[in-house]
Amino acid sequence: MNLSSIALAFVASLILLAVPGTARAQVASGEQNSHFADTPSKADAASLEKKATQAQARIHANKDDRDQMMMAVKTNEVPLAKQVLLRNGFTAEDLENAKIILRTGGGKGGKDEIEISATCCDPKEITIQRSLEYFTK
């Protein structure tokens, strides 16, 4: 082995030793490692579901929002549904990168209702289900 090979091996080993130390320093200083930041938490999922339940109650209580959400689901207009959700407790961050699923169907004994549910994460989904009146003759 010549002197340049030894020097190169020494520099490479220093780099390998420095990388884990840097990662530990970032975690200790409060910065989050991107791998851990992307991990979904139970708190995020619970918070999103709570917002869905609260938004559903608010929409039921407000005729204009209820009618707009019914129309959004019927015509499959995700942007309109997002507007109604934003006015009723969801934030832009909640809806960012969320898959909005609009569903029509399922009779509930003559009731015409909106049901909102949410799941988090990977992928984050917000489902808005409109039940239809069920007529029997």
Side-chain angles (χ1 to χ4, degrees), residues 35-56:
H35 172 72
F36 294 112
D38 293 338
T39 305
S41 72
K42 291 181 182 180
D44 291 340
S47 173
L48 197 62
E49 186 59 41
K50 182 178 179 182
K51 286 182 182 184
T53 302
Q54 290 173 344
Q56 179 178 318

Side-chain angles (χ1 to χ4, degrees), residues 106-112 131-135:
K108 291 214 172 188
K111 294 181 182 178
D112 198 4
S131 62
L132 297 175
E133 293 186 30
Y134 184 71
F135 297 103

Side-chain angles (χ1 to χ4, degrees), residues 6 10-11 22 32 35-36 39 43 48-49 52 55 64 72 75 77 79 92 95-96 98 111 115 119 124 128 130:
I6 294 172
F10 179 74
V11 170
T22 304
Q32 289 186 345
H35 172 72
F36 294 112
T39 305
L48 197 62
E49 186 59 41
D64 290 337
T75 59
E77 290 184 54
L95 301 180
E96 185 179 357
K111 294 181 182 178
E115 294 177 15
T119 59
K124 184 185 338 180
I128 304 165
R130 176 183 176 192

Side-chain angles (χ1 to χ4, degrees), residues 38-134:
D38 293 338
T39 305
S41 72
K42 291 181 182 180
D44 291 340
S47 173
L48 197 62
E49 186 59 41
K50 182 178 179 182
K51 286 182 182 184
T53 302
Q54 290 173 344
Q56 179 178 318
R58 289 178 183 152
I59 291 168
H60 280 282
N62 183 318
K63 183 181 180 340
D64 290 337
D65 282 344
R66 184 176 170 275
D67 290 347
Q68 283 187 340
M69 187 61 85
M70 293 280 196
M71 183 58 66
V73 173
K74 181 179 180 180
T75 59
N76 201 30
E77 290 184 54
V78 172
L80 179 57
K82 282 184 176 183
Q83 289 176 7
V84 176
L85 291 173
L86 285 169
R87 286 194 303 265
N88 288 282
F90 280 89
T91 65
E93 185 179 322
D94 294 330
L95 301 180
E96 185 179 357
N97 298 323
K99 180 178 180 182
I100 308 292
I101 302 167
L102 304 176
R103 291 191 177 143
T104 302
K108 291 214 172 188
K111 294 181 182 178
D112 198 4
E113 296 181 359
I114 292 287
E115 294 177 15
I116 302 172
S117 62
T119 59
C120 181
C121 300
D122 298 326
K124 184 185 338 180
E125 293 183 346
I126 299 170
T127 302
I128 304 165
Q129 172 85 32
R130 176 183 176 192
S131 62
L132 297 175
E133 293 186 30
Y134 184 71

